[in-house]
Amino acid sequence: IHRTTDASSLPPSPTSRLHFTCGDLKCVVTGTMSRLTRSQRRKQSQISALAQYILSGDCKNVCILVGAGIATASGIPDFRGPEGLYNTLKTQLAQDPGLLTATPAQIKKIMETPIYVFDCDLYRENPVIYNEVRLALILGTFERKWKPTIAHYFPVLLHMKGKLLQVVSMNIDGLLDRVGLPPDKILDVHGNITRVACESCGAEMDFADFVNEVKEKTRNIYDPADGPDKSTPIKCRRCGNATVKPRTVLFGSNLPKEFDPVTKQVMPKADLLFVAGTSLQVYPANTLPGMTSKNAKRVVVNAVDVGEDLGFDYDFLEGKCDEVFLELIIELGWLSDLEEVSRGNLTESSVELIRERKLAEPNA
């Protein structure tokens, strides 16, 4: 049984890796290769080498582990960033301890350890807190407020080329469901906000029905004028317990049953693993990179270096996920495929990034 926690159990281990930044690659947009420094040319050549490997016959099976960082370009905050959910919630509670429908002891613990807001023990004690904190994501997802990014479409391109083995998503926003990937290619290891069920008896509830109840029974901590003055639990229509919530994995609860086959059967088959937009701080999902074979290539795409203490070697591509993946897609010669498959369904910031890139280098 795998339960979600906030720290890896793997011992620290030195890693060797290549480190190159998307900022270095951006100079290709503003100047020719002849204007690049030796370091910049080397870093661009590393992107080229990665693309060549993907296009080669040696790279048949690609896995991708993604986190909240691939969705920030959509406008969905991450968790641990400076403006992420945890820091924002802590600041708001410091200003207004009555923000959440919680006891002083519960507020104190959330202030001390913000991830406690998504702890299974707290949910059992007080289920309305979850809906209050998740209200913006629940309503925004239902209203399709956010669109997928370039990073969401990179697995689609791999699938089109017959190279995608598996996407493992640590996100719950359901955006990967909207890019056209077959469902069996996606494992939502931490659940999905659009799938709702009773934690007690397992009875499912239609997402639209759940949204209606959330609107009626959950105080809107983000816009107090919109919604009821007081939060009340959402009860199961079958068993009557106040334990109806999206099927998202809380800290301390079990991961989906599909996690074991992915770790034991899928990851060892990967020739290449991308780790994108995650701090790699949530166990056991952060052990997946170590489940690949010793010959597999691993590439971390993130704004900051992560995973140094998890015991696996990797190459590091520093930068925003959309920017890094766009450079790689261009190097692969897949930009026209990206534009075709994502037309009308790509978030505006991603569309603008592609537009700027093409203006700067028309032959991209």
Side-chain angles (χ1 to χ4, degrees), residues 240-253:
N241 289 328
T243 50
V244 176
K245 62 177 281 293
R247 282 187 161 171
T248 59
V249 178
L250 300 172
F251 285 109
S253 59

Side-chain angles (χ1 to χ4, degrees), residues 309-324:
D309 59 343
L310 294 179
F312 63 90
D313 295 338
Y314 60 92
D315 297 340
F316 178 45
L317 279 165
E318 180 181 356
K320 296 178 180 179
C321 290
D322 258 21
E323 295 175 357
V324 173

